[in-house]
Amino acid sequence: MPVLEKIVVSDFRNIELQELEFSPNINCISGNNGEGKTNLLDAIYYLSMTKSAFAASDRYNFRYGTESFSISGKYLMENGMSSRFSLQITSKGEKKVKRDDKLYQKVSQHIGTLPVVLVSPSDTSLVSDSGEERRRFANAVLSQMDKEYLSALQQYNRLLLQRNKLLKEMRTDRDLLEVIDARMAHHAVPVHEARRRFAEMMAPVVAEYYAALSGGAEDVGVTYESQLDSGSLEEIFKANYEKDRVLKYTTAGLQRDDFIFTMGERPLRRCGSQGQQKSFLVSLKFAQYEIMKSNYGFPPILLLDDVFDKLDMGRISNLLKMVTGHEFGQIFITDSNKVRMAGIVDNLTSDRVYFDTVGGVFTHVG
């Protein structure tokens, strides 16, 4: 399993230049809010996913006054050999991703090489925001595990841009649209199937973690809703042709899919309390961890950002015991309260290291 041994971060957010070495087990990063704890976790996420977990655009990640940033990491791979992964992004939009100084021809070729799971306060958007956030979550998981899914989704989205451009420019040549529709339908099939299987896999695991967290007081569920459940994409496009032509964009398709989170067969966002929603979201992310672990045959890197603020001490301690009670991988935990974090982590393992964070500078303290 990939283990991050060392990272070098340059001009990323508030981090000017840091070179850090990590434990293969638990790494604890403490510091006040705004000092850079989350930035370090996002740098690790970048090395896995080639994009930020938080910022929609790369341009929001440059340190003030700089024109580029770079992140590199030395990983011990599952074959026992070390590999160096690096990415550099410039203000002109150029993105270079390398493995052992060899440039990937396509950035997407790297996705899935360094599997990662992030649990953070921003996860609340999965319950409160639109289906776009839930699709982004599913895409991030499936893209790491399934190269066919990632390729099909990219092709579908590329064709969707072409289709919308034709509709917007009023060049609604029916024959040309039907050619695009057929190609989109072809790529939609593996995406639809993978998302359906994903929901079916997630539902029982989420329910298991939620029961362990909450004492099993409520039944929770994950279901997948797609217009493709009722017919082929080509049929759906034909039925919506006049609507698309008038509105000048594609109104149906995979981009309208959603994953519905329920509690007692009612929508979680409407009936779940804040505490219940937090417990569900943590259960969702740990279910992701278990499914990815099963898929890869080894655990992904786990990034836990301020999770101690999400749940009470007893629940988060039980949750970490579930993860660390059997084979687990490398874990990074941030918390503003070092004493609270140490109280939980030190009871789990003596194989851990601590870092203090001030103004984007990380100091190894034990």
Side-chain angles (χ1 to χ4, degrees):
M1 60 186 181
V3 171
L4 178 56
E5 298 179 310
K6 184 171 76 171
I7 195 170
V8 180
V9 185
S10 176
D11 291 331
F12 180 72
R13 305 253 181 87
N14 75 331
I15 303 173
E16 181 176 2
L17 179 63
Q18 290 288 285
E19 181 175 338
L20 304 169
E21 294 185 2
F22 299 119
S23 163
N25 293 299
I26 300 182
N27 298 272
C28 305
I29 301 121
S30 62
N32 293 327
N33 292 331
E35 299 293 346
K37 304 185 305 295
T38 298
N39 294 344
L40 179 60
L41 261 57
D42 201 24
I44 297 170
Y45 188 90
Y46 245 112
L47 281 174
S48 290
M49 300 300 292
T50 73
K51 62 183 179 181
S52 170
F54 307 107
S57 173
D58 292 323
R59 69 176 180 271
Y60 297 122
N61 296 305
F62 300 108
R63 192 170 65 87
Y64 182 76
T66 63
E67 296 295 317
S68 69
F69 69 83
S70 63
I71 306 167
S72 67
K74 179 187 175 187
Y75 288 80
L76 180 65
M77 304 303 287
E78 54 268 30
N79 61 6
M81 304 290 286
S82 289
S83 280
R84 180 176 175 270
F85 296 88
S86 65
L87 68 88
Q88 182 179 33
I89 299 174
T90 70
S91 59
K92 295 180 181 179
E94 185 180 25
K95 180 181 292 190
K96 292 180 179 179
V97 182
K98 297 179 181 179
R99 177 173 185 171
D100 296 324
D101 296 322
K102 184 178 180 181
L103 187 69
Y104 283 100
Q105 293 304 306
K106 292 182 179 178
V107 171
S108 60
Q109 292 173 330
H110 172 68
I111 306 301
T113 304
L114 306 171
V116 67
V117 173
L118 170 69
V119 184
S120 86
S122 66
D123 294 338
T124 55
S125 64
L126 290 169
V127 170
S128 59
D129 289 355
S130 68
E132 182 179 0
E133 292 297 322
R134 291 178 286 279
R135 287 192 301 275
R136 185 178 290 123
F137 163 68
N139 289 341
V141 181
L142 289 168
S143 294
Q144 292 186 78
M145 299 192 298
D146 187 345
K147 293 289 188 184
E148 182 187 3
Y149 178 89
L150 178 57
S151 176
L153 182 64
Q154 289 176 327
Q155 293 295 327
Y156 178 92
N157 287 335
R158 183 177 59 80
L159 290 164
L160 178 62
L161 288 174
Q162 291 182 17
R163 192 177 197 273
N164 284 339
K165 186 177 180 181
L166 281 174
L167 290 166
K168 189 174 183 179
E169 293 175 351
M170 300 190 68
R171 291 166 53 197
T172 49
D173 182 308
R174 193 71 183 262
D175 292 337
L176 181 55
L177 272 182
E178 287 180 355
V179 170
I180 293 176
D181 292 353
R183 292 171 65 190
M184 290 180 71
H186 172 74
H187 294 300
V189 172
V191 174
H192 178 251
E193 282 298 305
R195 287 177 175 176
R196 180 182 58 77
R197 289 194 304 269
F198 175 65
E200 290 173 353
M201 286 189 297
M202 288 288 284
V205 189
V206 171
E208 181 183 351
Y209 270 109
Y210 187 87
L213 270 178
S214 66
E218 308 91 13
D219 291 326
V220 296
V222 178
T223 56
Y224 171 48
E225 287 189 356
S226 175
Q227 293 167 325
L228 273 74
D229 292 336
S230 62
S232 73
L233 189 63
E234 286 182 279
E235 293 170 346
I236 293 168
F237 281 158
K238 284 179 182 178
N240 286 273
Y241 172 72
E242 284 301 325
K243 184 178 179 181
D244 291 355
R245 187 181 62 80
V246 171
L247 294 176
K248 296 183 173 58
Y249 70 92
T250 305
T251 58
L254 292 177
Q255 70 279 8
R256 308 290 291 180
D257 285 358
D258 203 351
F259 294 85
I260 309 303
F261 302 151
T262 57
M263 177 173 291
E265 299 184 359
R266 296 174 60 197
L268 178 67
R269 63 185 300 177
R270 292 201 178 97
C271 68
S273 68
Q274 189 176 39
Q276 289 170 329
Q277 290 183 10
K278 286 180 178 180
S279 293
F280 178 90
L281 289 168
V282 172
S283 301
L284 182 76
K285 288 302 188 79
F286 275 81
Q288 174 194 348
Y289 180 85
E290 286 297 328
I291 286 171
M292 290 178 66
K293 179 180 172 182
S294 176
N295 179 80
Y296 281 98
F298 57 79
I301 290 174
L302 182 60
L303 309 176
L304 302 176
D305 188 26
D306 282 333
V307 291
F308 299 128
D309 283 337
K310 297 169 78 76
L311 300 164
D312 63 66
M313 295 285 281
R315 287 188 175 190
I316 200 66
S317 181
N318 289 339
L319 193 65
L320 286 174
K321 284 178 183 176
M322 290 173 68
V323 175
T324 59
H326 43 94
E327 184 187 351
F328 69 100
Q330 193 175 29
I331 300 176
F332 293 83
I333 305 176
T334 71
D335 192 25
S336 57
N337 188 328
K338 182 180 178 181
V339 174
R340 173 174 60 182
M341 180 164 53
I344 293 175
V345 173
D346 288 354
N347 284 327
L348 294 173
T349 179
S350 59
D351 194 353
R352 75 288 179 270
V353 297
Y354 287 90
F355 296 89
D356 282 344
T357 314
V358 178
V361 176
F362 299 82
T363 306
H364 181 216
V365 291

